[in-house]
Amino acid sequence: MENHQPNNERAQWGSRLGFILAAAGSAVGLGNLWKFPYITYENGGGAFVLVYLAAIVLVGAPIMLGEILLGRRTQLGPVGAFRFLGRDRPGGRAWVGVGILGVVTGFVILSYYSVVAGWTLRYIVLALSGKLAPLADDPAALQTFFGTFLSNPWQQTFFHLSFMAATVGVVYFGVGHGIERAAKVLMPILFVILLALLFYVVWTPGFPRAVAFIFRPNFSELTRGGVLEALGHSFFTLSLGMGAMLTYGSYMKKRTSIPKAALTVCVLDTVIAVMACIIMFSIIFSFDIQTTKSSTILFTTLPVVFFKLPGGAVISALFYVLVAFAALTSTISLLEVVASYAIDELGWARRKATLIMGGSIALFGILNALSLGSVDSLSKINLIGRPSTAGVFGTLDYLASNWFLPVGGFLIALFVGWLLTKNETLQELEMGHGRMKTFGVWRFLIRFAAPLAVGAIIVSVILGAEYQ
Ligand code: PHE
């Protein structure tokens, strides 16, 4: 299927809100609720948060606009979009490689993301069955429980496959009936749970210290590695660099404003990440708890604290439901990139594409599920960040987060900033928006700030710089 023309029969979001909720659903995930709090913790709070906010504004947001505009202009997924727009430009067909990289990255990330997401299912069951309370009473027992759970191949596989089944179940029904409907149900619930938890923690003794930790910058805590980590995370958390936003943009109506939608998604993602931090730190600071392995906070520390507070059983169940929902709307977007590739490029029917691609990722992901030997191996896992040696899981994560996403983002920024003409981008961004006063600022950021910043991450990874 050569040279796709933008097609008119492509599925579309039912409304502007549909796109925003689906895209925010993709962005808000384990990155916000798991990763962001613990890297903020490790990097000493306030100053790191400021750099992260700057990265979102100067790098993340401009690339998000760029990705969405590529998708909406071509009405194609990443492979088709780059083939179509790359044709008559320098580099020509080689640009298709960026699309293919995106599809491969989606495949890889989903294969381990759903393993971690599966753990939340285990904890929901645990909380609801009343078995979390006695464990939480004894931190050592909880630690042992978690370690045993990680090294149990059947349970790891079972929960990973369950999460994949839920993901396939949504994507199977398509853009409007599947993804948009799921986002419209899950995202408001997620937001309400977050607000409820936030309201709850305001009354805990750790709240003032949490707020000070997050909002009072102490620049002596900030390292060069921390700056790079903040930059890298701004990518992962906004689902950029692999065509997820591009694909969602391809279902966007021409009368929807891209700048407004992108801005809303960035703001929602950031607000939710900060809320998650406030919630977690308030709870942790309320008690004198040592959090040595910060990457396991979510599963080994939080439960202990939940049950020290009134209403622990309800709070903990709600909390894990929240994380599961957030993860599901992200896994949906990852699968959609891979499935829509099969639909657009290989001409498969959606149901076949979803089942076969989802099934392959699920099978491949079993390798990840089985590669977790112990809690120790977990401490080496990072959804983004440091080089890791934790088996298949760690290696894939390292490749995807440190290489594929930044390289993809870098190339996307170059393509949109330097190869598309000013008029092409202006036209697409103003369509459905009216005059865009900040166009000049956006164009400057995507041409200079974004490639330079992302280039810095890539160079530092090549030089083997530790992210700490
Ligand atoms: N943004 C998601 C999160 O923060 C992860 C993700 C990355 C989803 C890339 C899709 C694409 O958890």
Side-chain angles (χ1 to χ4, degrees):
M1 289 220 253
E2 282 291 291
N3 295 339
H4 284 272
Q5 293 299 323
N7 66 70
N8 299 322
E9 283 151 41
R10 194 168 184 81
Q12 289 194 330
W13 305 110
S15 63
R16 187 171 92 95
L17 190 67
F19 169 81
I20 288 176
L21 290 179
S26 169
V28 175
L30 296 171
N32 304 59
L33 303 178
W34 180 31
K35 181 81 189 181
F36 185 61
Y38 92 73
I39 59 177
T40 299
Y41 186 79
E42 284 179 354
N43 286 289
F48 176 81
V49 174
L50 267 188
V51 176
Y52 166 78
L53 294 178
I56 296 283
V57 173
L58 300 177
V59 182
I63 296 185
M64 171 150 335
L65 262 84
E67 269 205 33
I68 300 176
L69 93 78
L70 283 176
R72 195 181 63 180
R73 185 151 190 94
T74 56
Q75 314 256 302
L76 293 166
V79 173
F82 277 102
R83 172 182 299 130
F84 184 69
L85 289 173
R87 291 180 303 182
D88 316 316
R89 294 172 220 256
R93 291 187 64 90
W95 283 104
V96 174
V98 183
I100 293 173
L101 179 69
V103 175
V104 171
T105 308
F107 190 104
V108 168
I109 295 183
L110 182 50
S111 78
Y112 64 78
Y113 197 95
S114 90
V115 174
V116 180
W119 300 343
T120 63
L121 299 182
R122 178 75 188 96
Y123 272 66
I124 294 173
V125 176
L126 211 58
L128 291 180
S129 66
K131 293 202 182 109
L132 192 56
L135 280 171
D137 243 4
D138 177 359
L142 184 61
Q143 193 84 24
T144 314
F145 166 82
F146 190 58
T148 317
F149 171 55
L150 284 190
S151 51
N152 181 325
W154 298 110
Q155 290 199 354
Q156 288 301 314
T157 306
F158 175 78
F159 288 106
H160 153 69
L161 290 182
S162 308
F163 212 90
M164 279 306 300
T167 308
V168 168
V170 173
V171 175
Y172 186 86
F173 291 103
V175 175
H177 291 294
I179 303 175
E180 181 168 350
R181 201 150 58 175
K184 278 188 167 159
V185 176
L186 299 180
M187 291 308 285
I189 300 181
L190 180 147
F191 208 68
V192 170
I193 299 183
L194 262 174
L195 279 179
L197 289 172
L198 189 67
F199 185 75
Y200 175 87
V201 300
V202 169
W203 312 104
T204 59
F207 178 72
R209 197 176 139 204
V211 172
F213 183 70
I214 299 164
F215 294 110
R216 199 179 295 153
N218 172 2
F219 284 95
S220 64
E221 293 269 0
L222 193 64
T223 60
R224 199 177 64 99
V227 174
L228 291 174
E229 188 157 20
L231 257 173
H233 185 64
S234 72
F235 254 75
F236 187 83
T237 191
L238 291 176
S239 306
L240 298 176
M242 42 81 58
M245 288 298 162
L246 190 157
T247 305
Y248 275 12
S250 74
Y251 306 128
M252 198 189 222
K253 291 194 165 94
K254 291 284 184 193
R255 61 180 144 85
T256 304
S257 154
I258 296 178
K260 274 192 199 144
L263 190 73
T264 314
V265 174
C266 290
V267 169
L268 278 174
D269 185 76
T270 309
V271 166
I272 291 179
V274 172
M275 280 167 80
C277 271
I278 298 180
I279 292 168
M280 261 176 243
F281 294 143
S282 301
I283 291 179
I284 290 169
F285 291 159
S286 293
F287 302 92
D288 208 13
I289 287 197
Q290 288 303 319
T291 45
T292 38
K293 286 203 187 72
S294 40
S295 58
T296 65
I297 286 181
L298 212 55
F299 300 99
T300 56
T301 309
L302 273 186
V304 176
V305 194
F306 280 147
F307 283 91
K308 287 196 196 300
L309 297 164
V314 179
I315 301 287
S316 56
L318 269 183
F319 183 81
Y320 292 108
V321 169
L322 163 80
V323 184
F325 280 8
L328 182 59
T329 48
S330 297
T331 54
I332 290 169
S333 71
L334 289 161
L335 180 57
E336 179 61 20
V337 171
V338 184
S340 69
Y341 164 77
I343 298 168
D344 291 346
E345 302 298 316
L346 310 177
W348 295 5
R350 170 167 289 271
R351 295 185 172 189
K352 174 178 164 194
T354 317
L355 290 175
I356 293 186
M357 290 302 183
S360 318
I361 297 171
L363 283 180
F364 183 73
I366 293 179
L367 281 178
N368 293 320
L370 298 183
S371 80
L372 297 160
S374 60
V375 182
D376 265 357
S377 68
L378 181 68
S379 66
K380 299 191 190 114
I381 292 163
N382 296 286
L383 285 177
I384 63 153
R386 281 149 236 143
S388 168
T389 48
V392 194
F393 192 129
T395 310
L396 289 180
D397 166 43
Y398 170 66
L399 278 178
S401 311
N402 287 18
W403 290 96
F404 298 175
L405 289 185
V407 169
F410 180 75
L411 293 170
I412 289 170
L414 282 189
F415 188 83
V416 175
W418 296 91
L419 292 186
L420 294 187
T421 64
K422 188 174 170 187
N423 272 339
E424 279 172 306
T425 48
L426 181 66
Q427 193 193 31
E428 196 61 39
L429 291 179
E430 290 197 335
M431 191 175 286
H433 180 84
R435 210 176 103 61
M436 182 182 167
K437 292 193 206 79
T438 50
F439 179 77
V441 179
W442 170 79
R443 193 162 142 87
F444 173 80
L445 292 175
I446 196 132
R447 281 162 73 92
F448 298 101
L452 276 177
V454 184
I457 306 184
I458 297 170
V459 170
S460 77
V461 172
I462 291 175
L463 296 179
E466 282 276 336
Y467 269 40
Q468 191 60 278

